[in-house]
Amino acid sequence: MNQEIHKLLNKTEAKQGIYPFQVYVYSDTKNINIEYPQESKDKLFHIASVGKLISTTYVLKLMEEGLLSLDDPITKYLDTYILDGLFLSNPNEITIKDCLTHRSGAKDFFEGKDKQGNKFTDLVLKYPNQLWDRESILKYSKENLRPVGKKGEKFSYGDTAFMLVLMCVETIKHKEFHVLLDEEIFKPLNMMNTQSMIYNYPSKNRLCPEHIYFGKVDIKDFKSLNCDQADGGIVSTPYDLVLFQKALYSGKIISNDSIELMKNWQGVFRPGIHYGMGMMEIRFEEFFFLMRNFPRLMGHIGILSTHCFYDQENDVHYVLNFGTSDKMTQSFVFLSNLVGLLKKQGLFGTIKL
């Protein structure tokens, strides 16, 4: 079996070309420790929308501390003028829960097309020196995007409303979001190679991967990268993300009741990928019927073909980085094959690579 996994890893890496490739699969109870390439579990990468898993966890932590309610209207924390034009429904009706579950009706500024059919990501690549703070992102959204529907009408994944929740948190805590994650999540969990809102740090203090590819373009040094306001702008390592997941599912950050809220599936992100509250569930049987006995994985993906998932039934953590937005399909093919090989193994014995 180890030979089969080696073959899969080597074959996949050979197809990566210039793009980064990291795989870390870990389980204490099953004694699984797959790290490929060797010594890559501590190598930095931009986790993209995987950050929504972390950010949502933090919001639920504040809920448990009594600092907010998921039913709070976002106008409790944000001035109405900030929100005018983002929703079809009255902004006073839009709650934190609506935003976290992508049912607010706001259109996604990041990947959604504007009124002329253009994408915001085209601007990020075309104008690498342009800074995008939240105010300019909201201005762009109001001027160029149409809401997708009324509150609760449909599930529509997007960064716009999610970003508003982070703004609410900053109002509640009177601190910037990246400072809060650093003080209350990363440091307590000993996630020493993880940093949020990386563009807020001076270069000498900034944790930065060797490359951050969007398509074939390395955007690591693009100032426009600061548009990643909704995901937390997080860089991390496979090892640190496993630390986070272990803490999350063992109840060290939030209760199991709160995790169940994240698992209240709201809609289909893509066939086989169901979305709850800042959490996705992979249902392999919807990819291909012969995978109907595969385990369900909970976690999140990012546009840079990044994965952070947990198989709760078998206690197995999966962290993948395929290093570019162009490799999403390949990353899921790899994940499916890897889970299939581990299932064939029976998840027994020691697997160390």
Side-chain angles (χ1 to χ4, degrees):
M1 175 53 63
N2 283 359
Q3 186 176 0
E4 290 182 80
I5 295 176
H6 266 299
K7 184 177 178 180
L8 173 64
L9 291 165
N10 292 335
K11 182 179 179 180
T12 305
E13 184 184 35
K15 294 181 179 179
Q16 277 294 102
I18 62 172
Y19 304 118
F21 179 57
Q22 291 167 268
V23 177
Y24 188 44
V25 184
Y26 185 83
S27 172
D28 285 321
T29 57
K30 302 299 183 182
N31 205 12
I32 296 173
N33 187 5
I34 300 174
E35 179 186 1
Y36 190 92
Q38 289 297 314
E39 301 181 356
S40 66
K41 72 180 184 208
D42 295 316
K43 191 172 182 179
L44 289 166
F45 69 101
H46 196 297
I47 71 174
S49 283
V50 170
K52 288 187 175 70
L53 181 69
I54 298 173
S55 298
T56 303
T57 298
Y58 181 68
V59 173
L60 292 174
K61 178 177 180 291
L62 297 184
M63 178 197 73
E64 292 185 358
E65 293 171 358
L67 296 177
L68 61 82
S69 167
L70 294 179
D71 294 324
D72 284 343
I74 56 176
T75 52
K76 181 177 179 178
Y77 308 107
L78 303 176
D79 292 332
T80 305
Y81 78 87
I82 294 176
L83 310 171
D84 287 341
L86 295 177
F87 307 103
L88 285 181
S89 300
N90 188 322
N92 292 302
E93 299 176 357
I94 307 299
T95 66
I96 288 176
K97 182 180 179 181
D98 293 328
C99 296
L100 291 178
T101 56
H102 304 284
R103 285 189 168 274
S104 72
K107 189 163 186 176
D108 179 21
F109 77 83
F110 190 70
E111 288 193 89
K113 292 183 178 180
D114 64 18
K115 297 172 184 177
Q116 289 74 44
N118 301 313
K119 282 190 174 183
F120 179 83
T121 50
D122 296 334
L123 299 177
V124 174
L125 298 176
K126 187 175 181 179
Y127 303 105
N129 292 319
Q130 180 170 344
L131 291 171
W132 290 94
D133 58 17
R134 290 166 182 171
E135 289 72 21
S136 59
I137 289 172
L138 292 176
K139 183 176 185 293
Y140 166 86
S141 300
K142 294 175 183 181
E143 294 177 352
N144 296 281
L145 304 178
R146 294 189 180 94
V148 298
K150 294 182 179 180
K151 162 191 163 79
E153 194 171 64
K154 61 187 292 189
F155 169 82
S156 182
Y157 178 88
D159 282 10
T160 310
F162 208 93
M163 182 180 72
L164 295 175
V165 176
L166 307 194
M167 295 170 66
C168 290
V169 168
E170 292 182 338
T171 299
I172 294 167
K173 296 286 286 186
H174 305 291
K175 286 185 179 180
E176 291 182 284
F177 196 79
H178 74 277
V179 175
L180 295 168
L181 289 186
D182 189 42
E183 293 179 348
E184 300 188 40
I185 300 292
F186 302 150
K187 286 184 179 178
L189 296 181
N190 204 32
M191 296 170 66
M192 303 309 294
N193 290 311
T194 303
Q195 191 177 78
S196 176
M197 306 290 188
I198 57 171
Y199 37 81
N200 284 0
Y201 290 84
S203 296
K204 64 179 181 179
N205 298 323
R206 182 182 304 159
L207 297 178
C208 195
E210 292 179 10
H211 304 283
I212 303 174
Y213 285 101
F214 196 90
K216 295 178 174 59
V217 180
D218 189 349
I219 63 172
K220 182 191 71 171
D221 297 319
F222 281 26
K223 293 180 180 179
S224 56
L225 178 62
N226 82 322
C227 68
D228 187 26
Q229 296 279 346
D231 305 328
I234 299 172
V235 297
S236 188
T237 65
Y239 179 81
D240 276 9
L241 290 177
V242 170
L243 282 181
F244 173 78
Q245 287 201 130
K246 289 170 72 173
L248 173 60
Y249 295 105
S250 65
K252 291 182 179 179
I253 312 176
I254 57 176
S255 67
N256 187 62
D257 287 344
S258 290
I259 294 176
E260 289 301 312
L261 290 175
M262 299 174 79
K263 293 162 61 178
N264 184 9
W265 311 116
Q266 298 290 322
V268 177
F269 175 76
R270 299 286 188 275
I273 307 174
H274 290 248
Y275 205 99
M277 182 186 297
M279 178 181 283
M280 295 176 173
E281 182 180 67
I282 305 300
R283 302 181 184 180
F284 288 100
E285 71 274 15
E286 295 180 17
F287 293 159
F288 185 51
F289 75 96
L290 289 180
M291 293 190 281
R292 59 185 175 272
N293 293 321
F294 277 38
R296 299 277 174 89
L297 306 186
M298 300 178 299
H300 217 290
I301 62 172
I303 194 173
L304 302 178
S305 306
T306 52
H307 297 240
C308 182
F309 286 104
Y310 180 56
D311 172 2
Q312 194 166 23
E313 178 183 355
N314 296 297
D315 183 34
V316 183
H317 299 269
Y318 297 85
V319 180
L320 311 178
N321 173 34
F322 272 63
T324 174
S325 56
D326 282 355
K327 293 286 185 176
M328 187 63 79
T329 299
Q330 293 89 327
S331 71
F332 271 99
V333 170
F334 172 85
L335 179 63
S336 301
N337 287 332
L338 180 59
V339 172
L341 290 176
L342 291 173
K343 185 177 182 299
K344 181 179 177 181
Q345 166 79 12
L347 295 175
F348 298 124
T350 300
I351 302 177
K352 292 186 178 181
L353 294 175

